[in-house]
């Protein structure tokens, strides 16, 4: 049964970070907003991504430090703590999702559960159990439906042996061995967590380095640290075949690595590789919306190929970060309501929340060398020379700052070590506000703090770092 068409100032498809933020921002402009969600409020980030994984990583880091200090006693305690971590994950998800629900209720945003589908460029139907229950109309529509996995045919997840990141978040028992296909940020985060609880972990990455979107120095040092923890990494490798043995309760993978095939057996396999835009069933053809490589194509201001329709968040490609989704949602709403602004993707941090953390913003050293050639100045400072890192027993890692040698402009910041995902914003603010090397040198950094490592890296650009031995 179809109800009468309801009109809104803005229709939003998807209630993840881009969707719910856009709804709140549009309401603040005095607009009526309909927010359509086919699954859980908060999307992947709140329910199956950022919030649950970072909760597990936090709990895992505590157990890791206890293990390093020699306070852990037996395997039974590890399994009990693992179960406790799962409970805390559920508590964190419930708290954050409930908070978003209250915010939407406060702003009187119309939340509609069901499957959204375009009937035209101005009309969206909402279905439940295959039947249209609502029809909505607006001159302004924002698509923020996120992404879905794009598994290779030979590695289809079955929920028992071959798992996706959604499924492994609900695993009840610690596996003996785990292969993780994909050694980007998510793969390394899961590797750190499960390795902490004694799982034999193997990372399989098709690129030539783990963390392929980060600075090469961070990748190389991180790989060495993982090896010291007993995590095996296979780079420039491809899974060519997979077979499941229900009798043995294991998965056999045939991996092509270094010119030869190798058969490896694991209790579980985790897929954290490719994704594509969550566009199935949206009826994008009825709204004349173009796709490119599985994602919605957007131009300046997050505009799609169909006038009046915008897209933001993971569904647009270019990296799956909640903070990028927030940024794009803000830019989209401002353009929807008459402003002319664009996204500056230089200022989107790339963060790894494993332990130790890593974070990057701006150009990598390799990218900077290609663009600026000899007109570069680079500063490095190890956390071993930072008093706060020493007091916290977290001395592994460094801060690297890449600058333009002529003008002292900050081109990139790369951090491996404690507090990296917080410290990276020092680089973001410097780049956004054009505070160069000379300006940072005039600042005062409290002692002892981790931020002093950033300051010392800036000083090292001109060979002025204090707490470092050279030569």
């Amino acid at each position: 049964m179809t109800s009468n068409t309801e009109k809104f100032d803005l229709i939003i498809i998807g209630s993840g970070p881009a969707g719910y933020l856009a709804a709140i921002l549009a309401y603040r402009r005095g607009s009526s907003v309909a927010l359509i969600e086919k699954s859980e409020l908060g999307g992947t980030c709140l329910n199956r991504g950022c919030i649950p994984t970072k909760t597990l990583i936090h709990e895992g880091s505590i157990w890791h430090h206890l293990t390093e200090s020699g306070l852990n006693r037996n395997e039974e305690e590890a399994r009990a703590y693992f179960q406790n971590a799962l409970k805390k994950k559920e508590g964190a998800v419930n708290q954050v999702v409930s908070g978003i629900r209250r915010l939407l209720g406060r702003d009187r945003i119309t939340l509609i559960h069901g499957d959204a589908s375009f009937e035209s460029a101005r009309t969206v139907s909402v279905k439940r159990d295959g039947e249209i229950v609502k029809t909505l109309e607006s001159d302004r529509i924002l698509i923020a439906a996120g992404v879905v996995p794009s598994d290779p045919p030979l590695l289809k997840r079955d929920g028992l042996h071959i798992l996706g990141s959604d499924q492994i978040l609900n695993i009840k028992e610690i596996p003996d061995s785990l292969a993780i296909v994909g050694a980007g940020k998510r793969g390394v985060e899961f590797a750190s967590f499960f390795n902490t609880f004694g799982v034999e972990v193997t990372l399989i990455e098709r690129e030539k380095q783990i963390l392929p979107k980060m600075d090469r120095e961070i990748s190389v040092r991180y790989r060495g640290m993982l090896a010291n923890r007993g995590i095996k990494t296979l780079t420039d490798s491809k899974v060519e075949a997979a077979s499941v043995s229900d009798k043995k309760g294991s998965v056999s993978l045939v991996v092509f690595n270094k010119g030869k095939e190798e058969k490896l057996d694991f209790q579980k396999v985790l897929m954290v590789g490719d994704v594509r835009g969550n566009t199935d069933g949206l009826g994008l053809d009825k709204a004349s919306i173009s796709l490119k490589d599985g994602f919605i194509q957007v131009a300046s201001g997050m505009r799609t190929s169909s006038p009046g329709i915008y897209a933001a968040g993971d569904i647009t490609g270019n990296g799956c970060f909640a903070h990028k989704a927030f940024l794009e949602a803000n830019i989209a709403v401002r353009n929807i309501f008459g402003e002319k602004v664009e996204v500056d993707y230089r200022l989107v941090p790339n963060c790894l929340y494993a332990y130790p953390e890593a974070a990057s913003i701006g150009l990598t050293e390799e990218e900077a060398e290609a663009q600026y050639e000899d007109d570069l100045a680079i500063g490095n400072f190890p956390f071993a020379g930072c008093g706060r890192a020493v007091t916290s027993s977290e001395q592994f890692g460094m801060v690297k700052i890449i600058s333009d040698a002529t003008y002292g402009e900050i081109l990139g910041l790369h951090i491996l070590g404690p507090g990296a995902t917080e410290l990276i914003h020092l680089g973001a603010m410097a780049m956004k506000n054009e505070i160069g090397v000379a300006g940072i040198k005039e600042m005062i950094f409290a002692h002892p703090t981790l931020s002093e490592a950033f300051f010392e890296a800036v000083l090292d650009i001109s060979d002025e770092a204090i707490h470092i031995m050279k030569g």
Side-chain angles (χ1 to χ4, degrees):
M1 182 176 90
T2 306
S3 61
N4 294 329
T5 300
E6 297 182 54
K7 294 186 178 181
F8 291 87
D9 295 324
L10 175 64
I11 297 171
I12 301 173
I13 301 172
S15 70
Y20 79 70
L21 177 65
I24 292 170
L25 295 178
Y27 168 80
R28 290 180 178 177
R29 291 174 176 260
S31 299
S32 60
V33 183
L35 181 61
I36 307 170
E37 175 56 59
K38 69 178 181 179
S39 188
E40 309 105 325
L41 176 64
T44 296
C45 173
L46 273 61
N47 295 277
R48 305 177 303 281
C50 304
I51 300 304
T53 58
K54 277 47 179 180
T55 304
L56 291 179
I57 289 167
H58 172 72
E59 295 301 316
S61 69
I62 294 174
W63 190 254
H64 171 74
H65 288 305
L66 289 173
T67 302
E68 291 288 299
S69 65
L71 294 176
N72 294 343
R73 289 183 289 275
N74 54 52
E75 185 177 319
E76 184 178 338
E77 285 184 345
R79 294 186 180 277
Y81 195 90
F82 180 83
Q83 295 299 326
N84 185 60
L86 296 180
K87 290 179 182 177
K88 287 194 174 183
K89 174 207 69 174
E90 294 300 323
V93 169
N94 291 336
Q95 181 177 337
V96 175
V97 171
S98 296
I100 298 302
R101 192 180 301 279
R102 286 194 297 272
L103 291 176
L104 297 178
R106 175 201 65 187
D107 292 349
R108 297 186 293 280
I109 292 165
T110 302
L111 179 62
I112 304 169
H113 288 281
D115 296 303
S117 181
F118 282 93
E119 300 298 327
S120 71
R122 295 292 174 266
T123 307
V124 176
S125 66
V126 181
K127 297 178 181 178
R128 294 191 200 121
D129 298 324
E131 290 192 15
I132 296 177
V133 295
K134 283 185 179 293
T135 303
L136 312 178
E137 185 178 299
S138 179
D139 291 331
R140 307 179 183 100
I141 300 173
L142 174 66
I143 307 171
V147 294
V148 292
S150 180
D151 294 343
L154 57 86
L155 270 177
K156 290 293 183 182
R157 59 197 73 192
D158 59 12
L160 181 61
H161 303 289
I162 303 176
L163 312 175
S165 55
D166 295 2
Q167 296 159 326
I168 203 151
L169 287 171
N170 296 312
I171 196 169
K172 300 304 180 185
E173 297 294 334
I174 304 174
D176 294 326
S177 59
L178 175 68
I180 301 177
V181 182
K185 295 185 302 299
R186 287 185 300 159
V188 170
E189 287 175 359
F190 278 117
S192 295
F193 176 75
F194 281 100
N195 169 257
T196 292
F197 292 96
V199 179
E200 293 184 8
V201 178
T202 299
L203 280 163
I204 303 172
E205 171 58 49
R206 66 187 176 193
E207 301 293 338
K208 294 182 179 180
Q209 66 180 55
I210 66 168
L211 303 171
K213 294 185 179 180
M214 285 192 159
D215 187 88
R216 178 169 173 76
E217 183 176 359
I218 288 180
S219 170
V220 170
R221 296 185 66 168
Y222 216 103
R223 181 172 182 170
M225 183 274 299
L226 292 178
N228 289 336
R229 290 186 184 173
I231 297 175
K232 186 177 180 181
T233 56
L234 302 177
T235 53
D236 201 11
S237 299
K238 182 180 179 182
V239 178
E240 296 193 323
S243 59
V244 174
S245 172
D246 290 319
K247 185 176 180 180
K248 293 182 179 179
S250 64
V251 185
S252 294
L253 299 181
V254 176
V255 180
F256 187 77
N257 174 251
K258 295 181 180 179
K260 63 179 182 180
E261 288 186 346
E262 185 177 3
K263 186 177 180 181
L264 304 171
D265 294 325
F266 304 95
Q267 188 177 350
K268 304 286 184 185
V269 173
L270 171 61
M271 297 289 300
V272 290
D274 295 336
V275 294
R276 60 179 176 83
N278 184 17
T279 60
D280 292 348
L282 286 180
L284 298 183
D285 55 325
K286 295 181 180 178
S288 301
I289 297 172
S290 300
L291 295 176
K292 183 179 181 180
D293 299 327
F295 298 94
I296 292 180
Q297 197 169 2
V298 290
S300 63
M302 310 313 297
R303 296 173 176 84
T304 71
S305 54
S306 183
I309 302 179
Y310 295 71
D314 295 352
I315 200 167
T316 65
N318 197 27
C320 296
F321 309 116
H323 48 280
K324 181 181 81 77
F326 285 140
L327 172 65
E328 291 179 342
N330 182 292
I331 295 295
V333 169
R334 291 169 65 184
N335 281 281
I336 284 170
F337 291 99
E339 297 183 46
K340 291 185 178 180
V341 289
E342 297 185 14
V343 177
D344 185 353
Y345 287 107
R346 292 182 314 126
L347 302 178
V348 177
N350 185 10
C351 296
L352 170 72
Y353 295 88
Y355 33 94
E357 294 183 347
S360 296
I361 193 168
L363 299 178
T364 65
E365 184 173 348
E366 296 75 32
E367 292 168 340
E369 287 175 346
Q371 291 186 35
Y372 287 80
E373 298 180 347
D374 295 330
D375 192 26
L376 285 180
I378 298 175
N380 280 278
F381 189 79
F383 276 108
C386 175
R388 184 59 182 272
V390 173
T391 63
S392 305
S393 298
E394 294 186 290
Q395 302 177 50
F396 177 78
M398 86 298 177
V399 177
K400 177 197 285 187
I401 295 181
I402 301 168
S403 70
D404 162 56
T406 302
Y407 301 104
E409 176 188 0
I410 303 300
L411 304 173
L413 173 62
H414 307 279
I415 307 173
L416 169 59
T421 61
E422 299 291 342
L423 295 175
I424 197 65
H425 300 101
L426 292 170
M429 287 189 287
M431 293 169 67
K432 174 64 176 177
N433 295 288
E434 298 182 350
I435 304 172
V437 170
I440 296 171
K441 285 182 179 181
E442 298 300 317
M443 296 174 63
I444 299 173
F445 290 80
H447 174 79
T449 60
L450 296 173
S451 61
E452 289 179 286
F454 170 80
F455 180 57
E456 293 263 18
V458 172
L459 293 178
D460 187 57
I461 289 173
S462 51
D463 203 26
E464 298 177 80
I466 305 300
H467 299 92
I468 185 173
M469 296 288 291
K470 283 193 171 183

